[in-house]
Amino acid sequence: MQVTQNHLRNIAIIAHVDHGKTTLVDGMLKQSRIFRDNQQVPERVLDSGDLERERGITILAKNTAVRYGDIKINIVDTPGHADFGGEVERVLNMVDGVLLLVDAAEGPMPQTRFVLRKALELGHKAIVVINKVDRTHARPTWAVNATFDLFIELGATDRQADFPVIYTVATAGQAGTDPDHLAGHLQPLFDAIVNTLPPPTADPDLPSQLLVTNLSYDDYKGKIVLGRLSGGILRRGQPVARIDREGGFHTEKIAQVFIHEGLERLEVEEVAAGEIVALTGIPAVNIGDTITDLNDPRPLPPIVVDAPTVRMTFGVNTAPLSGREGQWCTSRKLKERLERELERNVALRVEPTDAADTFLVSGRGELHLAILIETMRREGYEFQVSAPEVIMRDDPDTGEKLEPVEEVYVEVPDGYSGVVVEMLGQRKGRLADMRQNGTGTVYYTYLVPTRGMLGFRQAFLTATRGTGIVHTIFHGYEPYAGAIRGRGTGSLVAWEAGVTTSYSLFNAQERGRLFYGPGIEVYEGMIVGRRPTEEDLALSVTKKKHLTNHRSSAGDELVHLDAPINMSLDDAIEYIADDELVEITPKNIRLRKRILNTEDRRKARKTRNEGNGNEA
């Protein structure tokens, strides 16, 4: 018999990047009195990873819980970026309702659309939270209307579209049903959660069923399984069956059972259906497996996520400086690390290639793969990656080649609208919508092949002098749009190995923008700068000034070098062309040509041009 667990609420908080989602969770945790009065609590406490704090985004879904009276509210903080949709799609299976957080000035944004679409497809009811109503340009009424339009556009039912609205200032911990009269606490928000979002219903008499939704690891406990118990009861020491995604049957035994209380995991003897639970003692478990009754095993439908759209090759570093800075440099260690990532990153794919030391890694977007690369780099891995490329597919009915297409949302000052329209037009973009807000800002919505968006962000920020904002979400697959012009710049490539000198760099900077200053060790084939024309140029950056016995004035000795471009990992991945690689080490990020030898590279280019019918 189905039992309603009125003492529980399982909710997810979803929002666009930087709309205050994690800050609101901070306020809910503090006002539920889970911290001591004298306890030092950092801001954005759920963004526990270094990368999350540095980038200001949520990458991994987190679980926590607060108490409101006699009711326990399990909260899942979800990523706000579509590239981490694998996280979103998994955790939404654990909850019964969502808080949709919207900035009062910006309204619903592209990443809001992606996560909300997934929640509505699962039939979840939402509470709309209009945050930052104290901002100078806040438009709470407009934000509510725009959110309602988004619900209708995404196919919300009448029940889902009839959502309550709560206005908040998350940084101050204030909430209310009127934007002009907020209470000095978040009680109106807690009341809305308890009174609006449904409690879980489950049958405790059925055989136990838990879909493994997330995994974490503890040095002492080993793998920790996270998921929602859909039916039955799980106890400490209980023998269970594990049914993997291929249908294989495995006998296991639960070591410990935990529930969430605040930021901690509290060990309990048993847990009933409807609760979000953590288990230990099942070392071979993977995301998508079902933990179920040993005597009456009943598998749950496995988690299905959208297919990857972008891929890159990860290989052993073959540059002359390899092995100096990384702890893990071999193909065996690289393969083991990528296989471990597959256990918890269900949106990732890893395939072997013809080369034993190179692997093809596919993900949901450039950011998805860049986060993996940066994480591995900080763990001590040294390797090299190629330029990202999109994953094509064939139409099953017509055999026509299809390619992924992005929905691109651009916010740009009116003075730069012309150059942005031209840039997107060159990338086969189709204008879907345009509007102005009356303050000199233009908003564009384009449909652009994913190929056209590779390397776009850096060129866009340069063209708009850093004033433009661009967001993308996956739209779907469409027929191949034709050739798109590649990068419009060439590379300055080191001619020989050595250490860069001010004298050589001074002469080299006349040919383009440099990536390095003096005193940097380089090798032949290493990219040291960007050239304004499309052709690459090999040049010496290590030559010293010829010494003579003639004195020179002090003015002749002074060399004025322009500040070099500091290429971040994201910039490097966006910049490189098909014949280039990014060398990743814990200490440095270097760009290089695939073919390091200058003469061999010239011959390869000549052969390629002759094959294309062009002059060398």
Side-chain angles (χ1 to χ4, degrees):
M1 184 179 71
Q2 291 289 324
V3 176
T4 301
Q5 309 282 6
N6 288 312
H7 66 287
L8 277 178
R9 297 293 186 277
N10 298 323
I11 67 170
I13 300 187
I14 59 180
H16 182 79
V17 176
D18 199 34
H19 275 200
K21 168 169 50 66
T22 309
T23 304
L24 182 64
V25 176
D26 281 357
M28 296 175 72
L29 288 168
K30 291 173 182 175
Q31 294 195 23
S32 63
R33 309 294 295 176
I34 70 162
F35 302 118
R36 302 187 310 273
D37 291 338
N38 63 343
Q39 186 172 346
Q40 295 295 317
V41 182
E43 291 185 1
R44 297 186 292 117
V45 65
L46 284 191
D47 281 350
S48 53
D50 291 339
L51 275 176
E52 292 179 315
R53 291 190 175 277
E54 290 171 17
R55 292 174 178 255
I57 61 174
T58 300
I59 296 172
L60 301 174
K62 316 286 194 318
N63 291 74
T64 186
V66 300
R67 294 275 179 181
Y68 183 62
D70 297 329
I71 296 176
K72 178 186 175 185
I73 304 174
N74 285 312
I75 302 173
V76 183
D77 183 20
T78 63
H81 199 289
D83 277 15
F84 306 108
E87 293 280 324
V88 173
E89 291 164 21
R90 284 189 281 130
V91 300
L92 288 178
N93 287 305
M94 290 196 295
V95 302
D96 303 290
V98 297
L99 297 186
L100 174 63
L101 202 66
V102 177
D103 189 294
E106 297 180 356
M109 296 291 281
Q111 309 301 342
T112 312
R113 174 188 299 266
F114 167 78
V115 187
L116 179 61
R117 180 190 294 133
K118 297 296 181 183
L120 294 178
E121 288 173 355
L122 291 170
H124 292 328
K125 188 169 176 59
I127 296 173
V128 173
V129 180
I130 306 298
N131 191 31
K132 303 184 182 181
V133 295
D134 58 334
R135 290 183 61 179
T136 304
H137 302 292
R139 302 176 289 172
T141 302
W142 170 85
V144 172
N145 293 334
T147 304
F148 178 79
D149 292 341
L150 179 60
F151 270 70
I152 300 304
E153 182 182 340
L154 297 180
T157 64
D158 291 343
R159 170 180 167 273
Q160 290 173 324
D162 185 21
F163 51 79
V165 180
I166 300 295
Y167 303 91
T168 63
V169 178
T171 53
Q174 299 176 338
T177 55
D178 184 336
D180 297 323
H181 300 89
L182 300 184
H185 45 72
L186 294 176
Q187 185 175 332
L189 176 61
F190 285 117
D191 288 339
I193 292 171
V194 170
N195 298 327
T196 305
L197 299 184
T201 57
D203 191 341
D205 298 325
L206 284 177
S208 53
Q209 286 180 303
L210 181 142
L211 183 65
V212 180
T213 306
N214 213 343
L215 294 174
S216 62
Y217 187 83
D218 184 272
D219 290 337
Y220 301 100
K221 300 182 180 71
K223 269 189 184 178
I224 300 176
V225 174
L226 293 113
R228 172 175 168 168
L229 185 57
S230 302
I233 293 175
L234 288 178
R235 298 179 178 86
R236 182 169 63 178
Q238 176 181 338
V240 292
R242 175 175 65 86
I243 302 178
D244 60 34
R245 284 173 285 188
E246 287 73 39
F249 184 92
H250 311 271
T251 301
E252 308 281 1
K253 183 177 181 180
I254 297 173
Q256 296 168 292
V257 179
F258 298 89
I259 60 173
H260 293 91
E261 287 288 350
L263 299 177
E264 305 296 328
R265 291 194 181 109
L266 179 66
E267 185 174 358
V268 294
E269 287 294 323
E270 66 177 37
V271 65
E275 179 68 273
I276 295 176
V277 61
L279 309 173
T280 65
I282 311 176
V285 69
N286 290 299
I287 289 174
D289 293 357
T290 299
I291 306 300
T292 183
D293 191 277
L294 185 62
N295 300 315
D296 188 5
R298 300 185 186 184
L300 291 166
I303 295 169
V304 178
V305 299
D306 292 341
T309 58
V310 175
R311 62 189 176 195
M312 303 168 67
T313 60
F314 285 47
V316 172
N317 185 13
T318 57
L321 302 181
S322 64
R324 298 186 183 183
E325 300 171 352
Q327 182 180 3
W328 315 110
C329 309
T330 65
S331 60
R332 182 174 64 87
K333 288 295 183 182
L334 180 61
K335 181 175 183 287
E336 289 175 355
R337 177 61 180 83
L338 292 174
E339 289 175 344
R340 286 204 310 274
E341 187 69 20
L342 288 175
E343 294 179 357
R344 63 178 184 83
N345 198 336
V346 295
L348 199 74
R349 304 286 186 274
V350 177
E351 306 167 50
T353 65
D354 294 337
D357 61 353
T358 303
F359 307 91
L360 192 63
V361 182
S362 306
R364 293 285 287 268
E366 281 182 284
L367 182 61
H368 184 202
L369 296 177
I371 292 296
L372 171 60
I373 293 168
E374 181 64 30
T375 302
M376 292 174 60
R377 173 179 177 246
R378 297 185 182 201
E379 292 172 354
Y381 286 84
E382 181 176 322
F383 54 104
Q384 63 190 24
V385 299
S386 69
E389 62 174 357
V390 301
I391 301 173
M392 303 287 188
R393 64 167 60 169
D394 294 326
D395 190 304
D397 299 323
T398 64
E400 183 180 16
K401 183 163 70 171
L402 304 177
E403 66 175 330
V405 174
E406 305 287 327
E407 244 177 285
V408 181
Y409 298 84
V410 176
E411 178 183 339
V412 66
D414 190 43
Y416 297 109
S417 59
V419 66
V420 171
V421 169
E422 181 181 357
M423 291 173 66
L424 290 171
Q426 292 173 348
R427 289 162 170 79
K428 305 293 184 181
R430 306 195 313 272
L431 180 64
D433 186 32
M434 182 187 79
R435 60 184 175 86
Q436 294 178 301
N437 64 356
T439 61
T441 301
V442 186
Y443 299 86
Y444 293 102
T445 303
Y446 271 83
L447 295 178
V448 186
T450 303
R451 289 180 298 128
M453 296 308 296
L454 298 179
F456 172 77
R457 194 176 303 272
Q458 190 179 56
F460 171 78
L461 291 175
T462 301
T464 62
R465 298 177 183 262
T467 60
I469 299 174
V470 59
H471 299 287
T472 63
I473 61 172
F474 177 65
H475 176 71
Y477 278 83
E478 294 186 359
Y480 182 71
I484 295 176
R485 182 187 174 192
R487 189 182 74 194
T489 60
S491 295
L492 299 177
V493 186
W495 180 283
E496 58 193 352
V499 178
T500 57
T501 64
S502 299
Y503 173 72
S504 292
L505 293 176
F506 178 71
N507 295 322
Q509 72 182 6
E510 297 178 359
R511 306 299 184 94
R513 290 292 307 278
L514 298 175
F515 297 157
Y516 301 102
I520 303 298
E521 187 175 6
V522 299
Y523 52 82
E524 183 182 7
M526 181 171 161
I527 298 171
V528 296
R530 183 177 65 202
R531 195 181 183 200
T533 58
E534 293 190 19
E535 289 296 321
D536 296 335
L537 177 65
L539 75 175
S540 174
V541 290
T542 62
K543 187 167 55 178
K544 296 180 180 180
K545 185 176 182 180
H546 180 64
L547 298 178
T548 71
N549 58 357
H550 294 283
R551 292 188 178 184
S552 60
S553 65
D556 292 338
E557 298 296 328
L558 294 177
V559 172
H560 298 282
L561 295 177
D562 297 332
I565 299 174
N566 184 19
M567 296 287 277
S568 67
L569 174 62
D570 294 35
D571 294 336
I573 292 173
E574 280 198 1
Y575 174 80
I576 58 172
D578 293 339
D579 65 336
E580 297 168 349
L581 299 169
V582 181
E583 180 186 351
I584 310 292
T585 80
K587 296 181 180 179
N588 287 292
I589 296 171
R590 303 184 184 96
L591 286 73
R592 51 160 287 191
K593 288 291 183 180
R594 284 183 184 269
I595 302 174
L596 296 177
N597 183 271
T598 304
E599 186 60 25
D600 291 346
R601 198 164 59 248
R602 187 190 67 80
K603 291 177 181 178
R605 184 172 65 249
K606 181 179 180 180
T607 302
R608 185 171 61 251
N609 288 338
E610 289 174 350
N612 294 334
N614 300 326
E615 295 182 4

